[in-house]
Amino acid sequence: MTALPTAEDLSRSAREAAARCGVDLDAVAGDHPVTSPVNGARLASVRWQGAADVQDAVTRAGQAFQAWRTVPAPVRGGLVRRFGELLREHKADLGTLVSLEVGKITSEARGEVQEMIDICEFAVGLSRQLYGKTISSERPGHRLMETWHPLGVVGVISAFNFPVAVWSWNTAIALVCGDPVVWKPSELAPLSALASAALLDRAITETGAPADLSQVVLGGADVGEALVDSPGVALLSATGSTRMGRAVGPRVAERFGRSLLELGGNNAAIVTPSADLDLTTRGVVFAAAGTAGQRCTTMRRVIAHVDVVDELTDRLAAAYRRLPIGSPTEEGTLVGPLVHDASFKAMQDALEAARQQGGEVVVGGERRLADEAPDAYYVEPAIVRMPGQTDIVRQETFAPILYVLPYRTLEEAIALNNDVPQGLSSSIFTSDQAEAERFLAADGSDCGIANVNIGTSGAEIGGAFGGEKQTGGGRESGSDAWRSYMRRATNTINYSGELPLAQGVKFTV
Ligand code: UN1
């Protein structure tokens, strides 16, 4: 492991990457520091805005909506096509900014940008497929159909761990659906946000779309709250903790706005006696330790059959001991830093609680590189064997802790999978088709994502992404998630020259 990059190295590469995307870091500098989790040093600074800026952005976006909603959807797709091309061109630059701001290893940071490119391609195709249904009318000479119309301004609140991809899922779909977007990015990742938005602005200019279609407002909780409460925001799409969602959901509902919530996960894998343990080990390690345990989809629990739990734990522990932990910018690193000290503290507290609840830490949990970078929080991903699903196991700790629980019957394993407040992702490792089908059935996993022989994370954009219970119920990205971004009108057209009433009602004057 070579030395961690210096503060100068990191700010220079951030400055250069941002400039190539069209953002001059001097021009956006202000009194809010941007810190890199890679070495805990200051990367740059930005100016924060406030609630009044949100109102202004929503008003301008609302004006852009007046024009954009009548542009034919396939033409709107042309804007998203150009945006996707620019993302492809600047994949490495945006990847660098994501790495420096949130600590993702290069491969995962670029993978995040690839998700952005993928959703643009999906949205371009979708722009010709915003289908409604035609329905048989019970009345002669009548036609019944539904039409999907643009909804209005979409507000996006995104989290640090996917600082740009989640915005792009919302934005690419919103734009082809005819909606402008006002974005409050994570406070921890403003540079990636500004760079992504600059590329979209360039695409907007080049394709002649309304300039105010895309707005970014940097700031803290007051900015988020202003977006939540703004009557001009038709759909508020928010990603973050369950605590955040509990505050946001009712406030948006209060004003009869729509919300789309992507909140916490507590994702498990069931490992049955017939599982291929080699493949299982690889799948679990990526899902549990990858991204330093900071994905909503991170695997936090393994529910393993008593016949395989010891061998699986040994294999996992051996793999964990080999994990290269260090600077995410260095080739070969698989585990980068936690995003800040609070995550490290939450991890230590959770490990302590697990011990008190009968857990045994099998491997990991120690801090690394503290001497080289006292303000950066590198940590060994941990595996903890638990006697059962205790309180701490039922909570989401946003750090790399994998709890291992034993089971005897598949019914018991499925019950454990479901017996947590969250319902995002889940998987089963098995070679037995009946077990796999049982897990996917109506009385199987209760999560929005249920996988077979792959881990819980790393979903493709083609499917709808989201989950049940305290995960918030929202679905974004692929499949028919676009419907949340449009309003449906049901149309009845009478070409009969008569006026028959439905339900056989007679009303003749
Ligand atoms: C998130 O963690 O908020 O499935 C999103 C995955 C990624 C998206 C995660 N495609 O892990």
Side-chain angles (χ1 to χ4, degrees):
M1 187 65 56
T2 53
L4 290 172
T6 66
E8 293 69 42
D9 289 342
L10 294 189
S11 19
R12 189 179 349 95
S13 61
R15 176 170 299 275
E16 290 171 1
R20 284 191 292 271
C21 296
V23 178
D24 173 1
L25 290 192
D26 289 329
V28 299
D31 51 15
H32 189 78
V34 183
T35 304
S36 175
V38 176
N39 58 4
R42 185 188 170 103
L43 202 53
S45 71
V46 289
R47 237 185 343 271
W48 270 20
Q49 294 159 281
D53 299 292
V54 173
Q55 294 322 330
D56 187 47
V58 172
T59 303
R60 280 185 286 124
Q63 282 155 5
F65 177 62
Q66 301 303 318
W68 192 238
R69 64 183 174 173
T70 58
V71 173
V75 178
R76 300 196 291 248
L79 163 60
V80 176
R81 182 186 306 110
R82 182 63 191 133
F83 179 41
E85 286 167 3
L86 291 170
L87 287 170
R88 209 178 270 281
E89 215 174 284
H90 292 280
K91 182 172 173 179
D93 295 328
L94 272 186
T96 297
L97 290 170
V98 168
S99 247
L100 299 186
E101 278 191 308
V102 306
K104 281 193 192 186
I105 62 171
T106 304
S107 166
E108 290 194 56
R110 290 189 183 172
E112 168 157 7
V113 184
Q114 185 60 46
E115 274 198 47
M116 304 172 80
I117 297 166
D118 294 343
I119 197 70
C120 285
E121 292 186 352
F122 179 92
V124 174
L126 178 68
S127 72
R128 291 182 185 270
Q129 301 174 78
L130 300 168
Y131 303 136
K133 291 187 161 115
T134 57
I135 301 130
S136 306
S137 170
E138 67 187 60
R139 287 168 282 186
H142 283 60
R143 188 159 68 83
L144 202 52
M145 66 173 193
E146 61 184 20
T147 316
W148 290 88
H149 293 300
L151 180 70
V153 177
V154 175
V156 176
I157 296 178
S158 57
F160 82 86
N161 66 325
F162 271 79
V164 285
V166 172
W167 164 76
S168 76
W169 298 350
N170 284 282
T171 301
I173 303 290
L175 288 173
V176 300
C177 289
D179 304 332
V181 176
V182 179
W183 181 20
K184 182 218 171 285
S186 162
E187 294 155 29
L188 301 176
L191 306 184
S192 314
L194 291 173
S196 304
L199 295 175
L200 177 54
D201 281 343
R202 205 176 127 193
I204 288 172
T205 309
E206 287 179 15
T207 56
D212 291 328
L213 277 180
S214 162
Q215 315 269 336
V216 183
V217 187
L218 300 183
D222 58 328
V223 165
E225 284 173 22
L227 207 50
V228 166
D229 291 336
S230 173
V233 172
L235 169 68
L236 195 280
S237 173
T239 303
S241 65
T242 292
R243 193 170 55 82
M244 182 274 289
R246 216 187 284 278
V248 165
R251 275 169 78 156
V252 176
E254 174 83 34
R255 61 173 178 82
F256 294 100
R258 280 191 203 176
S259 59
L260 195 169
L261 300 175
E262 296 289 355
L263 312 173
N266 191 350
N267 319 297
I270 294 174
V271 182
T272 76
S274 68
D276 169 345
L277 287 190
D278 218 41
L279 182 145
T280 304
T281 302
R282 284 186 282 139
V284 170
V285 175
F286 168 65
T291 335
Q294 299 170 110
R295 291 192 189 214
C296 313
T297 50
T298 289
M299 191 185 293
R300 309 206 176 276
R301 301 177 289 146
V302 159
I303 302 164
H305 190 271
V306 285
D307 288 351
V308 292
V309 67
D310 291 337
E311 185 181 350
L312 178 69
T313 309
D314 288 349
R315 285 183 186 228
L316 289 172
Y320 267 50
R321 288 191 189 94
R322 289 194 305 271
L323 280 172
I325 302 168
S327 171
T329 56
E330 188 176 315
E331 202 165 325
T333 298
L334 291 181
V335 179
L338 292 175
V339 75
H340 50 32
D341 53 348
S343 306
F344 177 71
K345 182 163 186 316
M347 180 172 178
Q348 298 312 306
D349 290 350
L351 289 173
E352 184 47 39
R355 281 191 197 95
Q356 278 173 17
Q357 291 168 26
E360 177 214 341
V361 179
V362 178
V363 66
E366 295 298 318
R367 191 164 165 198
R368 290 267 192 97
L369 299 164
D371 293 338
E372 294 87 333
D375 298 319
Y377 292 87
Y378 291 86
V379 74
E380 295 168 359
I383 297 177
V384 186
R385 279 191 77 156
M386 296 300 294
Q389 194 144 271
T390 64
D391 284 351
I392 192 66
V393 180
R394 299 177 79 254
Q395 287 170 32
E396 178 191 45
T397 302
F398 221 62
I401 303 176
L402 180 65
Y403 300 108
V404 178
L405 312 165
Y407 82 86
R408 284 178 192 280
T409 65
L410 188 59
E411 283 60 39
E412 182 193 350
I414 292 172
L416 283 168
N417 178 77
N418 295 349
D419 185 25
V420 291
Q422 311 83 353
L424 179 56
S425 186
S426 58
S427 57
I428 188 167
F429 287 88
T430 182
S431 301
D432 180 331
Q433 195 186 352
E435 284 181 337
E437 293 291 343
R438 178 72 188 76
F439 178 73
L440 302 179
D443 56 353
S445 166
D446 65 0
C447 294
I449 298 172
N451 296 333
V452 177
N453 290 330
I454 66 162
T456 51
S457 68
E460 302 174 19
I461 59 89
F465 183 90
E468 306 302 336
K469 302 188 292 187
Q470 288 189 9
T471 302
R475 291 295 186 280
E476 37 190 21
S477 195
S479 185
D480 63 354
W482 62 270
R483 291 173 180 221
S484 294
Y485 301 78
M486 301 197 87
R487 65 180 175 87
R488 180 195 330 232
T490 301
N491 314 122
T492 306
I493 301 135
N494 174 11
Y495 58 93
S496 68
E498 307 293 328
L499 199 66
L501 301 177
Q503 299 91 39
V505 172
K506 299 286 176 231
F507 199 93
T508 312
V509 283

